[in-house]
Amino acid sequence: MKIVVDAMGGDHAPDSSVEGAVLAAREYGTEIILTGISDSIYAVLDRFDPEHKLPIQVVHADEVVEMHDIPGKVLRSKRKSSMKIGLDLLKEGSASAFVSAGNTGAVLAYSTVILRPLKGVDRPAIAIQLPTLKGDAILLDAGANVDCKTSQLFQFGIMGHVFAEYILGKKNPRVGLLSIGEEDGKGNEIVKEAFQMLKSSHINFIGNIEGKEVYRGNADVIVCDGFTGNVALKISESVAEMIGTNLKRMFQRNWRSKLGYLLLKPQLDEFKKKVDYSETGGAPLLGINGVVIIAHGSSSAKAIKNAISRASELSEKKITQHISEDIESNLLDI
């Protein structure tokens, strides 16, 4: 199994992408293809694998998709980018998955055009894994689709159900629809119609859930449009940062608080690991005909390593095939 990594994607590229690839190749034995400006890649690779003994291949790309580039223009103007070349390798079967910490909109646009959505899927969705009081949950869409149709929310529910079952290991996962109230009639017309479609499917749909329920863990899958999901995600990241900063200030206040920190450090480290995005590495783009992982733009080498691990897992567990089968099955039910 080979994983393609866009070495030029992200705020710290190519350093973090190449180092992360080295870590994954060394720790997991994963075969990796790095796409990008070859001279820049080798300059980093030579530092971490000077004898080039690891199973890492470099494929040159003339162009780089910048974080500020407009996706539509990228499709037309950057036909030799590291991102496009990597996805072409995936499409032609030279690799099993693709990982990039680059421009999210560009990854989405390239993936949709090159790989195409699965049959029965209108648009792919970004799925974010969240820690809750009852284990991990998944929220989708987290930003790929600002405006959604009823059928798309329904498809997100099916895709989330499959991910929770095969990747998170949830038996009969609980699927909830994010709305402004728990009652059946709450929400806009699109949410109300999606409610009825999800209710008539064979998945374990538990109805509407409010924002306050997201981290309580009563739902294993939280379905929403990309605008709502992205706002919820960014607010959550901000709250986590605020809590972390205040805890740090509190523990530095005096010698008693510093002693308390030393006593609590193992528990605090465990908590930090649970909420650290780098532990999962990145978010899968579900509903596309191939395994694509979108890593955070500021991903460290550790995050890239874990993104590669997640990509391998999704490929090994045939997540794309399971989504395709479940979408087809549920379309027959409605």
Side-chain angles (χ1 to χ4, degrees):
M1 178 181 296
K2 292 184 180 179
I3 308 297
V4 181
V5 177
D6 170 19
M8 312 312 292
D11 299 334
H12 309 299
D15 297 67
S16 60
S17 297
V18 175
E19 184 182 356
V22 169
L23 292 174
R26 187 172 289 146
E27 187 170 335
Y28 310 127
T30 308
E31 293 185 63
I32 295 168
I33 302 174
L34 293 169
T35 60
I37 309 298
S38 56
D39 289 345
S40 299
I41 294 174
Y42 279 119
V44 182
L45 190 59
D46 288 345
R47 298 204 314 263
F48 297 102
D49 182 27
E51 297 182 10
H52 295 181
K53 290 185 175 181
L54 293 172
I56 297 177
Q57 175 186 352
V58 176
V59 174
H60 179 72
D62 292 324
E63 298 172 313
V64 176
V65 176
E66 305 293 347
M67 299 300 278
H68 59 269
D69 282 345
I70 299 172
K73 290 184 178 179
V74 166
L75 287 176
R76 297 188 298 271
S77 63
K78 294 191 174 181
R79 300 178 182 275
K80 296 181 180 180
S81 69
S82 57
M83 199 177 283
K84 181 182 184 301
I85 288 174
L87 286 164
D88 283 338
L89 289 170
L90 176 58
K91 181 183 179 181
E92 68 187 34
S94 297
S96 301
F98 173 81
V99 174
S100 177
N103 184 316
T104 299
V107 175
L108 175 63
Y110 273 133
S111 298
T112 303
V113 171
I114 296 171
L115 301 176
R116 310 299 297 174
L118 293 169
K119 182 181 179 181
V121 174
D122 296 334
R123 295 180 184 177
I126 298 173
I128 296 291
Q129 192 167 316
L130 302 173
T132 76
L133 294 175
K134 299 179 181 178
D136 289 333
I138 187 170
L139 180 147
L140 72 168
D141 178 27
N145 308 283
V146 175
D147 297 306
C148 291
K149 298 178 181 178
T150 300
S151 59
Q152 290 160 1
L153 290 179
F154 168 75
Q155 292 160 15
F156 297 167
I158 304 304
M159 293 190 290
H161 159 83
V162 173
F163 187 94
E165 181 178 2
Y166 288 95
I167 305 302
L168 299 185
K170 307 276 188 176
K171 187 177 181 180
N172 198 25
R174 301 158 297 172
V175 179
L177 183 62
L178 192 59
S179 188
I180 58 172
E182 296 178 357
E183 297 83 1
D184 293 6
K186 288 294 182 74
N188 58 30
E189 290 305 312
I190 292 175
V191 169
K192 291 177 184 177
E193 292 173 7
F195 181 100
Q196 295 302 324
M197 291 183 72
L198 289 165
K199 186 177 180 180
S200 65
S201 70
H202 73 248
I203 66 174
N204 182 16
F205 179 58
I206 62 173
N208 290 335
I209 63 168
E210 296 183 76
K212 66 183 180 182
E213 296 293 326
V214 170
Y215 289 97
R216 290 178 179 173
N218 294 326
D220 302 306
V221 179
I222 301 104
V223 176
C224 59
D225 62 70
F227 180 88
T228 304
N230 193 261
V231 170
L233 177 64
K234 295 301 172 58
I235 290 175
S236 299
E237 290 177 347
S238 178
V239 171
E241 182 181 359
M242 179 272 295
I243 292 173
T245 300
N246 281 335
L247 281 173
K248 187 175 181 180
R249 289 173 181 170
M250 182 182 70
F251 284 125
Q252 291 177 343
R253 192 171 298 164
N254 52 50
W255 70 266
R256 289 187 180 88
S257 60
K258 290 179 181 178
L259 177 60
Y261 169 74
L262 291 175
L263 294 172
L264 291 172
K265 189 176 184 302
Q267 288 74 26
L268 291 171
D269 288 343
E270 182 180 350
F271 174 75
K272 183 180 179 182
K273 187 175 181 179
K274 286 182 179 179
V275 300
D276 185 1
Y277 74 87
S278 69
E279 291 295 328
T280 54
L285 184 61
L286 300 181
I288 210 76
N289 192 19
V291 174
V292 174
I293 300 292
I294 301 175
H296 201 288
S298 61
S299 288
S300 62
K302 173 187 175 183
I304 296 296
K305 180 196 76 170
N306 288 331
I308 292 169
S309 175
R310 174 51 59 91
S312 299
E313 180 185 15
L314 265 61
S315 181
E316 289 171 355
K317 293 183 178 179
K318 300 180 179 179
I319 191 69
T320 302
Q321 178 181 330
H322 291 305
I323 288 175
S324 181
E325 292 170 352
D326 240 44
I327 287 287
E328 183 177 354
S329 174
N330 275 279
L331 285 175
L332 296 175
D333 292 344
I334 61 173

